[in-house]
Amino acid sequence: MARILVIDDESLARFTLRAILEAAGHEVVEATNGNEGIALQKADPFDLAVTDVIMPEKAGVETAIDLKRDYPDLKIIAISGGGRTRNLDFLRLAKQFGADETLAKPFSADELMALVNRLIGAAERSER
Amino acid sequence: MDRPGEDGALAGLLDAALAETRGGGGEPWPQSPALARLSGYVAARGGALRLIDFSPLKASRPDFWPAANTEIHEFIAAVAARDLRHGDRFVRLDDATYLLVMAQASEMGIHHVATKVAEGVTRELVGRHVLLDFASVHSMSGDAEGESLFRLVSQEEETLDEFLLRVRTLTRINREWRFPREARIDDEDAPDTDIEFIFRPLLALRDRTMSTFLFMPLRPMGDGYISGYAVLDDPGDPSETCRLDVMTLRHAIGAIDDIMEKGARTLIGLQVHALTLGHSGTRNAYRKALASLTSDQISRIVFELAGVPDDVETAELEAVAAALRPTAGLVNVQARLGTGNFQSFRAAGFRAVGIDVYSSGAAEAEVMQGIDDFIEGARRHQLKTYILGVRSVSLYTAAVTAGFDYMSGHALSEAFSAPTEVVAYRLDQPFTHYSTRSKN
C-alpha cells in the first residue's frame, strides 16, 4: 500500500482518482492546489503524487518542479485534459521538468494503475 | 542570514536596532533612533533599507500565526540565499518584522526583493497575490536628528508587477513635436511629461514567435507604475483618452521608423479608446494624426480598440470601427470575459477579440473558468483571440492549452525598451525561468 497525494482543483477529478486508487488499496490524500499539495508533502511525505497540469495559482509543472527539487524520491504523475495538442505539449513539459510519468485525460483506471504500480514498484526495488 | 561579519559599523548598527526593537528598553520600530542611524549609514554608502511587517497577517490569523511564523522565516531564508549578495542582510527584528539591508542596491532593486518576499509569503501561506491585507513594506529614512521617519511604500494590487516593469530599462522617448502644426489637437502645448512607454512582446502561438510589440504608456505612481488608460486622471473623458491616444501614436512613430530602417518584420500594437473614436471632435483629431502617417508606417501598426462597453449596439460598434478605416489596417477589439458580443465584433470587421486579465483584476480561478467559453464564442464567429496581462505561469499554462492565438504578459517575457526583430519563443521558457529561479 502506498500513500498517494492527489492534486487537482476540480473536485470531480479528485473524487475519481481517489476512487480508483483506494480501490487498489492505497491511502489517498487530496489537495486542491499546488501550494496545498506541497505543504501536505512537507508535513508528511508521500510515496507518489498525481497532479493536474492546469490549475490556478500554481500550475502543475511548477508544482512538479518544486516537489522534485525538494523530494527527489517522490514519484510524480502529471495528468491533463487530452484532445488538444497543446495539452499534450504541457504533459511533455511536465515530464521535462520533474514528472516521472504523464497521462492524458480521459484515461482508464487500468492505465492509471499501470503507471502507479510501475512507479511504486520501482521505488520499492530501489529501497531494497 | 542574521549576522554580518565584514562590515563592523553595519554590524554595530544592526545590533543596536535589534536591541531597541526587541524590547531592549528602546523605542518600537516606528520611532527607533537606532534604525534611523542604520538607514542613514546604509544610504550614505549607496544602499537601501526596507522593513517588512507581517503583523497584519499575525493579527488577522492568530490561529495560523504560530505555524506561519516558522514558514515565513524559512521562506525568507530561501529568498535571502537566492537574491542577496555579499554585504546584504536580512535581520529579524521581532516575530513579525524583518529588516532588509541591501548594501549596493538601488531603491528599485531593494523594493523588488522586499515586495517579492512579502507577496511571496502571502501567496504561499494564504494563496493570495495581493499583499495589502497581510503584510506591508516600509522604506525608511533618518533625519538629521536621528529620528526615524517610516514611510509606508505605496502598495497597489499590482505592486509586484509594476516593480518588475520598473527594474527593466525604460527608454525616454523624444517628446519633440514631429507633426505639422495643423495636426495638433487642443492643449497639445501641455503634454504629459511623466508618461513613459514600454514595448511588451505579443506571442503568436501558432508559429511560436513574438513578432508584435505592444506599445504601452506608463506613469509612475508611488514606487511603481500604472499602465494603459489608468494613467489618465479621468479615463471617462474623451478629450483625455484622445490626448493619450494621439500622444501614443506620435511616440510610436520613432519606433516604427526604426524597425522599417532595420528591415525588421515586426509590427507595433497600439491601443485607441472607443471614447476617442466615439465623439466627433476627438475622432477628427485622431484621424488627423493618423492621416499624417505614411502608408508604410500604417502597415506596421496593429490597432486595438479598447474601452468598448458591454452593451454597445452593433451599429455603434461599426461606426467606431469605421472611424479607423480606411486608414488603419489590422484592428482588434478588447472585450470582457463573459462578453456576448462576438457576432457584433465580427459584423464590425474586427480581426481578433481579446481580454486583458491584468486590468480586469479577476481572480485566476475565475479567469480560467471563463476562457474556454470566450475562445469557443470567438471561434464560432471566425475571430482570432488574444489574452493580455498574463502574469503567472499557471495562467500562462491555462491560456495556452485553452487555445488563445496570441498572448502577452510578464509571465512570458520582460518588457522591452525598443522593439526587436521577430523573436522565437519556446513553450517551456516560463518553466525554465521558474526552474532556474527555484533552484538558486
Side-chain angles (χ1 to χ4, degrees), chain B residues 32-49:
Chain B
S32 167
L35 285 177
R37 288 193 295 276
L38 173 61
S39 175
Y41 177 84
V42 171
R45 290 161 57 88
L49 180 154

Side-chain angles (χ1 to χ4, degrees), chain B residues 19-248:
Chain B
E20 273 195 9
T21 54
R22 283 178 174 172
E27 298 289 332
W29 64 257
Q31 290 84 33
S32 167
L35 285 177
R37 288 193 295 276
L38 173 61
S39 175
Y41 177 84
V42 171
R45 290 161 57 88
L49 180 154
R50 284 291 185 275
L51 194 141
I52 307 169
D53 182 12
F54 292 103
S55 50
L57 175 59
K58 181 179 179 180
S60 66
R61 301 287 296 271
D63 55 325
F64 183 65
W65 179 252
N69 204 358
T70 306
E71 295 283 335
I72 289 172
H73 197 72
E74 290 179 0
F75 182 91
I76 292 177
V79 172
R82 189 175 59 229
D83 288 326
L84 296 195
R85 298 191 179 93
H86 179 76
D88 298 341
R89 291 293 178 268
F90 251 122
V91 176
R92 190 179 192 179
L93 294 182
D94 58 40
D95 76 331
T97 314
Y98 287 83
L99 185 67
L100 167 63
V101 176
M102 293 184 78
Q104 300 296 325
S106 64
E107 284 293 316
M108 282 193 287
I110 191 171
H111 199 82
H112 172 63
V113 174
T115 311
K116 186 163 64 173
V117 166
E119 216 176 275
V121 165
T122 57
R123 187 172 60 246
E124 293 289 327
L125 293 183
V126 298
R128 294 265 303 274
H129 282 292
V130 179
L131 60 82
L132 289 170
D133 296 334
F134 301 106
S136 56
V137 179
H138 302 255
S139 68
M140 202 190 116
S141 62
D143 67 7
E145 283 74 45
E147 288 207 5
S148 64
L149 304 167
F150 273 97
R151 176 176 63 88
L152 179 65
V153 179
S154 172
Q155 295 178 158
E156 299 296 329
E157 183 143 344
E158 291 81 29
T159 297
L160 181 58
D161 189 65
E162 298 304 338
F163 278 102
L164 285 172
L165 288 174
R166 191 178 165 88
V167 299
R168 309 299 179 209
T169 303
L170 297 177
T171 298
R172 291 217 170 254
I173 305 295
N174 183 350
R175 299 179 189 281
E176 286 179 7
W177 182 250
R178 297 170 65 141
F179 287 84
R181 195 178 177 78
E182 57 270 19
R184 288 188 179 195
I185 60 171
D186 291 340
D187 69 7
E188 169 62 29
D189 289 338
D192 294 285
T193 56
D194 62 348
I195 288 182
E196 302 171 14
F197 293 91
I198 57 165
F199 293 88
R200 189 169 283 291
L202 184 73
L203 168 64
L205 274 150
R206 194 172 84 168
D207 53 7
R208 312 266 172 102
T209 59
M210 290 178 158
S211 55
T212 301
F213 285 78
L214 307 176
F215 190 52
M216 299 166 52
L218 297 179
R219 167 173 262 160
M221 187 184 71
D223 285 311
Y225 281 88
I226 49 175
S227 61
Y229 291 100
V231 305
L232 298 175
D233 294 329
D234 183 3
D237 181 349
S239 65
E240 288 218 18
T241 62
C242 181
R243 286 184 65 236
L244 180 62
D245 288 338
V246 171
M247 181 183 181
T248 304

Side-chain angles (χ1 to χ4, degrees), chain B residues 157-378:
Chain B
E157 183 143 344
E158 291 81 29
T159 297
L160 181 58
D161 189 65
E162 298 304 338
F163 278 102
L164 285 172
L165 288 174
R166 191 178 165 88
V167 299
R168 309 299 179 209
T169 303
L170 297 177
T171 298
R172 291 217 170 254
I173 305 295
N174 183 350
R175 299 179 189 281
E176 286 179 7
W177 182 250
R178 297 170 65 141
F179 287 84
R181 195 178 177 78
E182 57 270 19
R184 288 188 179 195
I185 60 171
D186 291 340
D187 69 7
E188 169 62 29
D189 289 338
D192 294 285
T193 56
D194 62 348
I195 288 182
E196 302 171 14
F197 293 91
I198 57 165
F199 293 88
R200 189 169 283 291
L202 184 73
L203 168 64
L205 274 150
R206 194 172 84 168
D207 53 7
R208 312 266 172 102
T209 59
M210 290 178 158
S211 55
T212 301
F213 285 78
L214 307 176
F215 190 52
M216 299 166 52
L218 297 179
R219 167 173 262 160
M221 187 184 71
D223 285 311
Y225 281 88
I226 49 175
S227 61
Y229 291 100
V231 305
L232 298 175
D233 294 329
D234 183 3
D237 181 349
S239 65
E240 288 218 18
T241 62
C242 181
R243 286 184 65 236
L244 180 62
D245 288 338
V246 171
M247 181 183 181
T248 304
L249 175 67
R250 288 175 182 150
H251 284 86
I253 295 302
I256 293 171
D257 288 343
D258 281 345
I259 59 177
M260 287 169 60
E261 194 177 311
K262 289 172 187 165
R265 295 160 293 160
T266 320
L267 301 177
I268 303 296
L270 295 182
Q271 273 191 339
V272 55
H273 206 285
L275 282 176
T276 299
L277 301 178
H279 294 74
S280 59
T282 51
R283 179 172 59 240
N284 290 339
Y286 191 81
R287 291 189 67 170
K288 269 188 184 173
L290 205 54
S292 64
L293 274 67
T294 66
S295 57
D296 283 344
Q297 289 170 328
I298 295 257
S299 71
R300 293 308 191 106
I301 300 175
V302 178
F303 289 93
E304 181 194 24
L305 183 67
V308 174
D310 287 340
D311 58 351
V312 65
E313 300 278 345
T314 302
E316 288 175 311
L317 196 55
E318 287 175 353
V320 165
L324 277 176
R325 300 193 185 95
T327 314
L330 300 170
V331 186
N332 302 329
V333 61
Q334 191 180 116
R336 187 185 53 81
L337 206 59
T339 184
N341 287 339
F342 297 109
Q343 189 171 355
S344 298
F345 293 148
R346 180 66 183 162
F350 292 105
R351 167 179 160 268
V353 58
I355 53 175
D356 185 342
V357 294
Y358 188 96
S359 299
S360 76
E364 208 162 278
E366 183 187 335
V367 172
M368 288 169 67
Q369 279 165 15
I371 55 180
D372 283 341
D373 286 344
F374 182 87
I375 289 174
E376 189 187 325

